[in-house]
Amino acid sequence: MKTKCKIELWCWIFLVPTLLLFVLFQGWPIAASFYYATLDWSGLTSDATYVGLDNFANVAKDPYFWNAFKNSFKFMFGVVPLNLIIPLILAVVLNRPRLKGASLYRTLIFLPVVTTTSIVGIIMVFIWGSDGAVNDALMKIGLLSTPINWLGDAKWSMFTVVLISVWKNLGINMIYWLAGLQGIPKDLYEAAEVDGARGMKLFVHITIPLLLPIGAVILLLNVVNSLKVFDLIKTMTNGGPFFATDVVSTYIYRYAFSSEMGLPQLGYASAAGLFFAVTISALAIIQSVLNKRMKGRAK
């Protein structure tokens, strides 16, 4: 019993630095946001006026907030299915033991993940510009007669940002799926092959059911991360054109830190952030409940 208590004590001792960092850089800012959301305050001066729930009411009445809210979910619904399907296909292909150069392919696909998102965004502005490489290639093969302003046209801007986000995160989602695939016992495949199962039958009846638990985790991670998107959109479109790619993160930044709206409105931005945080938390809770029910049925 004493040995167990000592082990637990040492575990807590090693956790203390992490807990302190969490409280300082995440816990405290979250708690402070609740207080700031009740103030009419720029964050630059010492005079702050208590306004109660007025900031929340103003956020709820602002059509630009609801446009950003809608765009956040539009981005999510565009990104998440592709972030699940394409990496899964790549993982299945690269998980084949007889495939030569599999490690090299995995590395190449994973490289964009370790590249800074803001750098990727800046580079993609040139590649997807009117006179960029994408238009040049499409015109050479005859798919376009005139160049498209992919990031400057409201009709194409969200589509373009979604594609680039999927490419940027392809590698990490592929690694998740590979981890799930490599955790499936080979004996199951061998037994199924003895019974005459081949190809798609193995994939549908063995691979997919056994990947569902990790698939649920990948889904949750992608939903939350896509709703928090900021740096890619900030560097590529800054929420434009005409607010076509404006998401809640860029909306909050515009009021909290940018000079576009005049003097910053830290209280209003905090209210908008908390408003959206409740939505993300609700989605996470719903997904968690659904995941538990799926695991319960699987057992």
Side-chain angles (χ1 to χ4, degrees):
M1 188 69 180
K2 288 183 179 179
T3 305
K4 185 180 178 182
C5 289
K6 284 183 178 179
I7 292 172
E8 289 182 355
L9 177 62
W10 277 108
C11 288
W12 281 108
I13 289 172
F14 284 117
L15 278 172
V16 165
T18 303
L19 290 173
L20 284 174
L21 288 172
F22 175 81
V23 170
L24 287 172
F25 295 103
Q26 284 192 293
W28 166 246
I30 291 170
S33 293
F34 285 93
Y35 172 64
Y36 296 150
T38 63
L39 303 176
D40 179 11
W41 183 43
S42 67
L44 302 175
T45 59
S46 58
D47 56 325
T49 307
Y50 177 78
V51 294
L53 299 177
D54 286 357
N55 283 327
F56 292 96
N58 291 332
V59 168
K61 291 186 292 185
D62 186 4
Y64 288 102
F65 172 79
W66 291 112
N67 174 68
F69 190 92
K70 179 188 72 177
N71 284 338
S72 292
F73 280 91
K74 189 186 293 185
F75 180 83
M76 182 196 77
F77 284 119
V79 163
V80 172
L82 296 176
N83 271 346
L84 293 176
I85 297 168
I86 299 175
L88 175 58
I89 295 169
L90 288 173
V92 171
V93 172
L94 295 177
N95 194 46
R96 293 179 179 179
R98 295 179 184 178
L99 181 66
K100 293 181 180 179
S103 298
L104 175 62
Y105 298 141
R106 292 176 192 176
T107 303
L108 291 173
I109 294 169
F110 193 78
L111 277 177
V113 177
V114 296
T115 307
T116 307
T117 306
S118 55
I119 299 299
V120 169
I122 292 168
I123 293 170
M124 288 299 170
V125 168
F126 294 100
I127 293 175
W128 289 81
S130 297
D131 55 351
V134 173
N135 275 320
D136 186 53
L138 292 175
M139 289 175 72
K140 281 182 178 178
I141 61 177
L143 291 178
L144 285 181
S145 56
T146 56
I148 295 174
N149 192 354
W150 297 98
L151 296 171
D153 188 334
K155 185 173 66 175
W156 293 104
S157 53
M158 182 61 79
F159 167 79
T160 307
V161 172
V162 165
L163 282 185
I164 295 167
S165 177
V166 171
W167 170 79
K168 171 76 171 67
N169 297 295
L170 205 59
I172 190 65
N173 289 297
M174 180 192 69
I175 295 298
Y176 293 151
W177 285 121
L178 276 169
L181 287 168
Q182 292 171 4
I184 299 174
K186 293 180 181 179
D187 298 347
L188 294 175
Y189 291 110
E190 291 171 359
E193 286 174 356
V194 169
D195 291 335
R198 293 288 185 278
M200 283 301 295
K201 285 187 177 180
L202 290 173
F203 183 73
V204 171
H205 297 290
I206 294 179
T207 306
I208 292 295
L210 293 176
L211 283 179
L212 283 178
I214 193 169
V217 174
I218 297 170
L219 174 64
L220 177 60
L221 290 173
N222 276 281
V223 166
V224 173
N225 288 334
S226 62
L227 289 174
K228 295 191 300 179
V229 65
F230 171 73
D231 39 10
L232 190 66
I233 289 179
K234 179 63 182 172
T235 52
M236 289 185 66
T237 65
N238 198 24
F242 308 111
F243 302 98
T245 59
D246 191 31
V247 291
V248 174
S249 298
T250 53
Y251 176 91
I252 292 169
Y253 176 86
R254 194 159 58 247
Y255 280 94
F257 305 109
S258 175
S259 59
E260 296 174 35
M261 308 302 296
L263 202 64
Q265 300 177 44
L266 193 64
Y268 182 86
S270 298
L274 291 171
F275 203 103
F276 194 58
V278 170
T279 305
I280 297 177
S281 300
L283 284 174
I285 292 168
I286 291 168
Q287 278 195 282
S288 178
V289 171
L290 291 174
N291 290 347
K292 287 181 181 178
R293 287 186 179 180
M294 285 174 61
K295 288 180 181 178
R297 288 178 182 177
K299 291 178 182 179

